[in-house]
Short mmCIF file of all heavy atoms in Angstrom, two decimals:
data_model
loop_
_atom_site.label_atom_id
_atom_site.label_comp_id
_atom_site.label_asym_id
_atom_site.label_seq_id
_atom_site.Cartn_x
_atom_site.Cartn_y
_atom_site.Cartn_z
N ASP A 45 14.00 3.93 -35.75
CA ASP A 45 14.65 4.85 -36.69
C ASP A 45 13.60 5.84 -37.12
O ASP A 45 12.67 5.51 -37.96
CB ASP A 45 15.22 4.13 -37.82
CG ASP A 45 16.00 5.08 -38.71
OD1 ASP A 45 16.08 6.28 -38.38
OD2 ASP A 45 16.56 4.59 -39.72
N PRO A 46 13.58 7.10 -36.60
CA PRO A 46 12.60 8.04 -36.99
C PRO A 46 12.58 8.32 -38.52
O PRO A 46 11.57 8.71 -39.07
CB PRO A 46 13.01 9.33 -36.25
CG PRO A 46 13.95 8.84 -35.16
CD PRO A 46 14.57 7.63 -35.66
N ASP A 47 13.72 8.15 -39.23
CA ASP A 47 13.75 8.40 -40.62
C ASP A 47 13.42 7.20 -41.49
O ASP A 47 13.44 7.24 -42.74
CB ASP A 47 15.16 8.84 -41.00
CG ASP A 47 15.59 10.14 -40.24
OD1 ASP A 47 14.66 11.02 -40.04
OD2 ASP A 47 16.73 10.30 -39.84
N SER A 48 13.10 6.04 -40.89
CA SER A 48 12.80 4.85 -41.54
C SER A 48 11.34 4.75 -41.90
O SER A 48 10.52 5.15 -41.14
CB SER A 48 13.28 3.66 -40.82
OG SER A 48 12.86 2.44 -41.42
N ASP A 49 11.02 4.09 -43.03
CA ASP A 49 9.65 3.89 -43.43
C ASP A 49 9.30 2.43 -43.11
O ASP A 49 8.28 1.91 -43.63
CB ASP A 49 9.47 4.18 -44.91
CG ASP A 49 9.63 5.63 -45.27
OD1 ASP A 49 9.32 6.49 -44.37
OD2 ASP A 49 10.10 5.89 -46.35
N ASN A 50 10.08 1.78 -42.31
CA ASN A 50 9.80 0.31 -42.03
C ASN A 50 8.42 0.20 -41.35
O ASN A 50 8.02 0.97 -40.46
CB ASN A 50 10.86 -0.27 -41.08
CG ASN A 50 12.19 -0.42 -41.79
OD1 ASN A 50 12.23 -0.34 -43.04
ND2 ASN A 50 13.23 -0.60 -41.06
N PHE A 51 7.68 -0.78 -41.78
CA PHE A 51 6.34 -1.06 -41.26
C PHE A 51 6.45 -1.69 -39.92
O PHE A 51 7.22 -2.58 -39.59
CB PHE A 51 5.53 -1.96 -42.21
CG PHE A 51 4.28 -2.45 -41.66
CD1 PHE A 51 3.18 -1.55 -41.68
CD2 PHE A 51 4.08 -3.73 -41.10
CE1 PHE A 51 1.98 -1.92 -41.13
CE2 PHE A 51 2.88 -4.08 -40.60
CZ PHE A 51 1.77 -3.24 -40.67
N ILE A 52 5.67 -1.16 -38.93
CA ILE A 52 5.64 -1.69 -37.59
C ILE A 52 4.30 -2.48 -37.47
O ILE A 52 3.27 -1.93 -37.62
CB ILE A 52 5.66 -0.56 -36.50
CG1 ILE A 52 7.00 0.20 -36.66
CG2 ILE A 52 5.59 -1.16 -35.15
CD1 ILE A 52 7.10 1.41 -35.68
N SER A 53 4.45 -3.76 -37.18
CA SER A 53 3.23 -4.59 -37.09
C SER A 53 2.32 -4.15 -35.96
O SER A 53 2.78 -3.50 -35.01
CB SER A 53 3.67 -6.04 -36.89
OG SER A 53 4.23 -6.17 -35.62
N GLU A 54 1.13 -4.60 -36.06
CA GLU A 54 0.13 -4.30 -35.01
C GLU A 54 0.62 -4.91 -33.63
O GLU A 54 0.47 -4.26 -32.60
CB GLU A 54 -1.23 -4.86 -35.36
CG GLU A 54 -2.31 -4.56 -34.30
CD GLU A 54 -3.69 -5.23 -34.56
OE1 GLU A 54 -3.79 -5.76 -35.68
OE2 GLU A 54 -4.56 -5.18 -33.73
N LEU A 55 1.20 -6.12 -33.68
CA LEU A 55 1.66 -6.70 -32.44
C LEU A 55 2.78 -5.89 -31.86
O LEU A 55 2.76 -5.67 -30.60
CB LEU A 55 2.23 -8.14 -32.77
CG LEU A 55 2.85 -8.88 -31.62
CD1 LEU A 55 1.88 -8.99 -30.46
CD2 LEU A 55 3.38 -10.18 -32.08
N GLU A 56 3.74 -5.40 -32.65
CA GLU A 56 4.81 -4.59 -32.14
C GLU A 56 4.27 -3.32 -31.54
O GLU A 56 4.80 -2.79 -30.58
CB GLU A 56 5.79 -4.27 -33.30
CG GLU A 56 7.06 -3.59 -32.84
CD GLU A 56 7.96 -4.37 -31.85
OE1 GLU A 56 7.76 -5.61 -31.77
OE2 GLU A 56 8.78 -3.70 -31.15
N GLN A 57 3.27 -2.71 -32.20
CA GLN A 57 2.69 -1.48 -31.67
C GLN A 57 2.04 -1.72 -30.31
O GLN A 57 2.18 -0.93 -29.37
CB GLN A 57 1.61 -0.95 -32.58
CG GLN A 57 2.18 -0.39 -33.87
CD GLN A 57 1.09 0.09 -34.83
OE1 GLN A 57 0.13 0.74 -34.42
NE2 GLN A 57 1.23 -0.16 -36.13
N ARG A 58 1.36 -2.85 -30.14
CA ARG A 58 0.77 -3.23 -28.84
C ARG A 58 1.86 -3.45 -27.78
O ARG A 58 1.71 -2.99 -26.69
CB ARG A 58 -0.10 -4.51 -29.00
CG ARG A 58 -1.37 -4.34 -29.77
CD ARG A 58 -1.98 -5.69 -30.00
NE ARG A 58 -2.28 -6.47 -28.86
CZ ARG A 58 -2.46 -7.74 -28.79
NH1 ARG A 58 -2.45 -8.47 -29.92
NH2 ARG A 58 -2.74 -8.36 -27.67
N ILE A 59 2.93 -4.07 -28.14
CA ILE A 59 4.03 -4.28 -27.24
C ILE A 59 4.62 -2.99 -26.79
O ILE A 59 4.89 -2.75 -25.59
CB ILE A 59 5.14 -5.25 -27.91
CG1 ILE A 59 4.59 -6.68 -28.06
CG2 ILE A 59 6.32 -5.21 -27.03
CD1 ILE A 59 5.50 -7.59 -28.78
N ARG A 60 4.79 -2.08 -27.69
CA ARG A 60 5.40 -0.79 -27.34
C ARG A 60 4.49 0.06 -26.47
O ARG A 60 4.96 0.86 -25.62
CB ARG A 60 5.87 -0.05 -28.61
CG ARG A 60 7.01 -0.77 -29.32
CD ARG A 60 7.62 -0.04 -30.48
NE ARG A 60 8.69 -0.77 -31.10
CZ ARG A 60 9.42 -0.38 -32.12
NH1 ARG A 60 9.28 0.84 -32.49
NH2 ARG A 60 10.35 -1.16 -32.61
N ARG A 61 3.22 -0.06 -26.74
CA ARG A 61 2.24 0.65 -25.87
C ARG A 61 2.32 0.20 -24.44
O ARG A 61 2.33 0.94 -23.48
CB ARG A 61 0.80 0.54 -26.43
CG ARG A 61 0.45 1.55 -27.58
CD ARG A 61 -0.98 1.60 -27.85
NE ARG A 61 -1.59 0.32 -28.23
CZ ARG A 61 -1.73 0.01 -29.58
NH1 ARG A 61 -1.26 0.88 -30.50
NH2 ARG A 61 -2.26 -1.18 -29.85
N VAL A 62 2.37 -1.12 -24.30
CA VAL A 62 2.47 -1.68 -23.00
C VAL A 62 3.84 -1.40 -22.36
O VAL A 62 3.95 -1.07 -21.18
CB VAL A 62 2.38 -3.23 -23.08
CG1 VAL A 62 2.84 -3.91 -21.78
CG2 VAL A 62 0.88 -3.65 -23.27
N MET A 63 4.91 -1.39 -23.19
CA MET A 63 6.23 -0.97 -22.66
C MET A 63 6.24 0.48 -22.15
O MET A 63 6.80 0.73 -21.07
CB MET A 63 7.25 -1.09 -23.81
CG MET A 63 7.68 -2.49 -24.15
SD MET A 63 8.90 -2.50 -25.48
CE MET A 63 10.36 -1.81 -24.63
#
Side-chain angles (χ1 to χ4, degrees):
D45 183 0
D47 300 323
S48 173
D49 294 328
N50 289 345
F51 174 75
I52 300 177
S53 68
E54 181 183 350
L55 174 60
E56 185 65 17
Q57 291 179 41
R58 288 170 59 197
I59 288 173
R60 292 189 184 185
R61 278 195 295 269
V62 164
M63 286 181 68

